Amino acid sequence: MHFRGLLFDLDGTLVNSLEFVEASWSAWAVRRGYSAQAVRHYLHGKPALSTLRHFMSDASEAAITQEFLALEEYEASHAQGMTAVAGAVAFLRQLNALNVPWGIVTSGSRKVASARIHHAGLPFPDVLVTSEDITYGKPHPEPFLLGAKRLNVPVSQCVVFEDSHAGLLSAQAAQSVVVEVLTPQAGVHDLETFATIPHYQHLSVSPKGAAEFILQL
């Protein structure tokens, strides 16, 4: 596959954080009197504020912001021990060595994303799109459109790696090439993608020409 830039989701795509995310939100749901199952079903791939507004529809924006800040602080301070998806660290280092434009596009906040990137041992990207940067979260295409813009690469020439239903829809709506990352923590989605991978251990990239690369899956 020929491409000019790569964009990655973070949670469940580069970092094994889904079990922690579900446990954190389940505990929040129980404290607030909501269905933990309903919250877990809704939240994946979406910004935390979107989930809070969905379930706290009668609450004031000030109350929602207060809940968000408490959740953000908890998740950012409990990132120790998080691990990278198999092969992700080596693959990202290969991209850096080849000067491949790449970035992370996450629905999480910058504070939480930075903590997880650090504790998982991932190289920190030059382009990091977080919930603070966007007006519309996944499944809207804005996050990946912004990621491609910051890479200075046409979005149609970007390959997006995603694991959530909302994220896959977002990447498809942006008209990127989509690779689904189906780790043991991720669920199966009935969406057409270019390829599905369980990890990054067999991926490689080679230069093709000026500002163009070949991805081998």
Side-chain angles (χ1 to χ4, degrees):
M1 183 200 312
H2 297 176
F3 72 94
R4 292 182 59 191
L6 299 178
L7 294 170
F8 300 84
D9 174 51
L10 181 62
D11 294 301
T13 299
L14 290 174
V15 177
N16 295 311
S17 55
L18 294 186
E19 289 182 3
F20 172 82
V21 170
E22 288 199 347
S24 174
W25 278 94
S26 293
W28 174 83
V30 171
R31 289 196 307 272
R32 299 288 304 185
Y34 302 118
S35 164
Q37 182 179 2
V39 171
R40 289 195 302 270
H41 179 74
Y42 182 85
L43 67 90
H44 289 296
K46 302 181 181 73
L49 280 170
S50 297
T51 301
L52 292 171
R53 290 180 180 127
H54 178 80
F55 287 96
M56 299 175 63
S57 56
D58 295 331
S60 68
E61 193 64 21
I64 290 171
T65 299
Q66 186 176 6
E67 286 291 318
F68 167 76
L69 291 174
L71 278 165
E72 180 186 49
E73 180 60 33
Y74 177 81
E75 294 198 352
S77 61
H78 288 76
Q80 297 88 342
M82 286 194 177
T83 60
V85 172
V89 173
F91 184 62
L92 295 182
R93 287 176 177 168
Q94 180 188 19
L95 299 183
N96 283 342
L98 293 172
N99 293 316
V100 177
W102 69 276
I104 292 176
V105 178
T106 175
S107 294
S109 71
R110 181 166 291 271
K111 184 174 182 177
V112 172
S114 298
R116 291 177 181 169
I117 291 169
H118 170 71
H119 285 289
L122 298 171
F124 205 89
D126 291 333
V127 170
L128 175 60
V129 175
T130 65
S131 60
E132 292 93 336
D133 300 313
I134 57 172
T135 302
Y136 303 103
K138 302 172 187 177
H140 194 280
E142 182 189 0
F144 288 112
L145 292 173
L146 179 58
K149 181 179 180 180
R150 290 185 175 178
L151 286 183
N152 197 30
V153 173
V155 71
S156 61
Q157 296 181 37
C158 288
V159 180
V160 170
F161 293 78
E162 259 286 0
D163 74 303
S164 72
H165 189 260
L168 293 166
L169 290 175
S170 174
Q172 288 180 339
Q175 300 186 340
S176 294
V177 176
V178 186
V179 173
E180 182 177 18
V181 182
L182 191 60
T183 66
Q185 293 177 306
V188 179
H189 305 102
D190 187 20
L191 293 171
E192 185 176 349
T193 59
F194 179 83
T196 299
I197 60 171
H199 48 66
Y200 299 87
Q201 290 178 315
H202 304 304
L203 271 64
S204 64
V205 169
S206 58
K208 179 180 183 294
E212 193 171 5
F213 303 88
I214 299 174
L215 174 65
Q216 296 175 316
L217 297 169

